[in-house]
Amino acid sequence: MRTIRLAALTAAAAAAFTMSISTSSAAGMSHYGAKPIAPGAGSHAAPAAGADTLSLQTNGKTGVVSPTPKVYLVFWGSQWSKDPAKVAPDMQAMFKGLYGAKDTWGTILAQYCENAPKGSTTCPSTATFIKHPSASVLGGVWFDNGSAAPANATQAQIAAEAGKAAGHFGNKTQAPNLNAQYVVLSATGTHPDGFPNSGFCAWHDSTSSGYGKLAYTNLPYVPDLGAGACTTLTDGRMLSGIESTETHEYAETVTDFWPTGGWNNTANGEIGDECVNLDAYETLTTGKFDVQGLWSNKANACVTHG
């Protein structure tokens, strides 16, 4: 039954999902950096000359990129008492290891910056560059399990959970939230923002809160779709799809922190949207993880290492 349902979903995603910086949810809202369920759907196999090059969309000095990123994992709801694919320990291990010399994938991001002229495709030496982390980017982990999360959470409810998390982690002013991204993970069997019928694996966005403007990600329980969804790797590993998805969203949040003022191309695609047809394994000190390819202006190509 799952195989039939997944095939129908991936076929529908491949036929109907147009790769762009935003997509429509079941509620009709727009989202940024939405990764499609079907591997390779909407990929840029033969782009026009220069079409994939990313350029800076504003002259903004803050909130354009995340120079020193911190990731806060929020496991939302009492439903996390069940975690059949072991997503919670996997996501923690991935972000604990995503730094330093072992992380050659993350070095792709270091070519991008803020505090540079609008339209820039390379960064001047005076710009504020994204720094490759020398220590774990994992800022905190919270199991918000005092009550059940909504079975069918809306975008507004997901955004509110991100705001609640900012308070929980003590990030109560705008300053720490210039580098914090809140990843709201939903448990198995739930359907945040219409997942999976909306066609996305995940998306990221920003929201206003009492603690300033926040960057957050809606990350559904991707293993519910079975092995092979949301990744191009075909070895049947259940966690590859959610790892690929979250590396896509993490990188897009770092380079387009409050969409869409950061780095996008002429078709409004972000750094991960370019490269959904490319995955590779990266071995960190904490394990082996599926990282999605990212667009590199320096290489003029999708790459999996800097």
Side-chain angles (χ1 to χ4, degrees), residues 278-293:
L278 179 64
D279 287 273
Y281 281 124
E282 176 173 66
T283 300
L284 305 174
T285 58
T286 52
K288 183 176 75 171
F289 304 94
D290 179 345
V291 294
Q292 193 208 277

Side-chain angles (χ1 to χ4, degrees), residues 7-19 36-42 199:
L9 285 167
T10 54
F17 191 94
T18 301
M19 179 60 58
I37 289 172

Side-chain angles (χ1 to χ4, degrees), residues 55-58 63-65 255-264:
S55 62
L56 193 58
Q57 301 299 305
T58 72
V64 175
V65 301
T255 55
D256 192 15
F257 195 61
W258 294 331
T260 57
W263 291 83
N264 299 295

